[in-house]
């Protein structure tokens, strides 16, 4: 996972921030990251994130992805961000400035999309079959475009911020 992100950062022609440490990167890569061992989060934060994810899945009426590798990868990324930022910033996005993004809170797990639409783009919180819930997403949202309409098996749970949702298109429209 990190090798692929490193290659993207290393091969970038424009000035960007390193996806790991936030340092400015020019075409040759981040010197800071080259010296850091970014392979494992602290055991304490890894366990904290596992416990959080399990509890949130139960509370929201979702399950963790049935492919354990998906779940572990996302949980590990969350724990690494807790180590780095003190917050479980979603590891599935690229941020120009992770610290600034963490202050905005919209991508802190469980992110705004999960709280409003019950949609997890990381595929961490899904239905038992591993599919993301997309029925509440607004028309044109990438999740709805990719997966189509996938119904929520537990509509009575989750969506703490559903009052902020744009109206979902009717499933009966053609």
């Amino acid at each position: 996972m990190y090798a692929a992100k490193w290659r993207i950062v290393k091969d970038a022609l424009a000035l960007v921030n390193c996806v790991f440490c936030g340092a400015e990167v020019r075409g040759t890569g981040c010197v800071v990251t080259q010296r850091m061992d970014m392979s494992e989060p602290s055991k304490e934060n890894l366990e904290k994130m596992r416990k959080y994810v399990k509890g949130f899945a139960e509370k929201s009426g979702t399950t963790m992805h049935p492919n354990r590798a998906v779940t572990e990868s996302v949980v590990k990324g969350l724990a690494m961000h807790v180590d780095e930022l003190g917050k479980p910033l979603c590891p599935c996005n690229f941020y120009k400035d992770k610290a600034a993004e963490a202050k905005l809170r919209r991508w802190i797990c469980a992110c705004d999309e999960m709280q409003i639409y019950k949609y997890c783009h990381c595929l961490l919180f899904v239905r038992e079959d591993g599919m993301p819930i997309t029925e509440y997403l607004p028309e044109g949202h990438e999740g709805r475009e990719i997966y189509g309409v996938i119904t929520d098996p537990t509509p009575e749970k989750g969506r703490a911020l559903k009052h902020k949702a744009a109206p979902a298109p009717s499933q009966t429209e053609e």
Side-chain angles (χ1 to χ4, degrees):
M1 178 174 144
Y2 295 110
K5 285 186 179 179
W6 172 246
R7 173 168 285 152
I8 291 167
V9 171
K10 185 175 180 185
D11 294 343
L13 298 175
L15 178 64
V16 295
N17 286 11
C18 174
V19 294
F20 301 116
C21 69
E24 287 188 347
V25 176
R26 297 190 190 268
T28 58
C30 173
V31 176
V32 175
T33 302
Q34 290 173 353
R35 289 188 231 140
M36 297 171 70
D37 177 15
M38 297 297 290
S39 59
E40 295 298 323
S42 69
K43 286 183 176 27
E44 176 187 356
N45 284 331
L46 191 57
E47 286 308 310
K48 182 178 174 182
M49 287 295 92
R50 284 184 181 130
K51 183 178 178 181
Y52 170 77
V53 165
K54 183 179 178 189
F56 186 81
E58 290 172 10
K59 176 181 169 184
S60 66
T62 60
T63 63
M64 294 172 281
H65 198 281
N67 179 335
R68 293 184 77 149
V70 171
T71 298
E72 280 303 307
S73 179
V74 177
V75 169
K76 184 177 178 180
L78 290 168
M80 290 177 78
H81 279 156
V82 173
D83 285 347
E84 178 185 353
L85 303 165
K87 305 264 187 230
L89 188 64
C90 175
C92 300
N93 285 325
F94 175 79
Y95 307 102
K96 186 174 180 181
D97 182 342
K98 286 192 282 186
E101 195 64 48
K103 288 179 184 174
L104 293 174
R105 303 200 52 80
R106 65 183 167 209
W107 291 110
I108 300 294
C109 190
C111 69
D112 284 0
E113 281 193 336
M114 188 63 192
Q115 298 283 341
I116 297 169
Y117 302 112
K118 204 170 177 179
Y119 173 73
C120 179
H121 72 277
C122 296
L123 300 178
L124 178 60
F125 301 112
V126 294
R127 298 184 335 170
E128 285 186 15
D129 62 3
M131 296 301 291
I133 296 163
T134 63
E135 78 170 285
Y136 308 115
L137 291 172
E139 200 168 327
H141 186 281
E142 68 172 23
R144 191 175 270 256
E145 297 292 319
I146 293 167
Y147 300 105
V149 177
I150 300 175
T151 58
D152 181 0
T154 57
E156 70 284 357
K157 291 186 171 183
R159 299 189 66 209
L161 301 177
K162 67 182 171 187
H163 62 279
K164 292 185 175 186
S170 171
Q171 292 182 21
T172 59
E173 290 179 7
E174 292 186 37

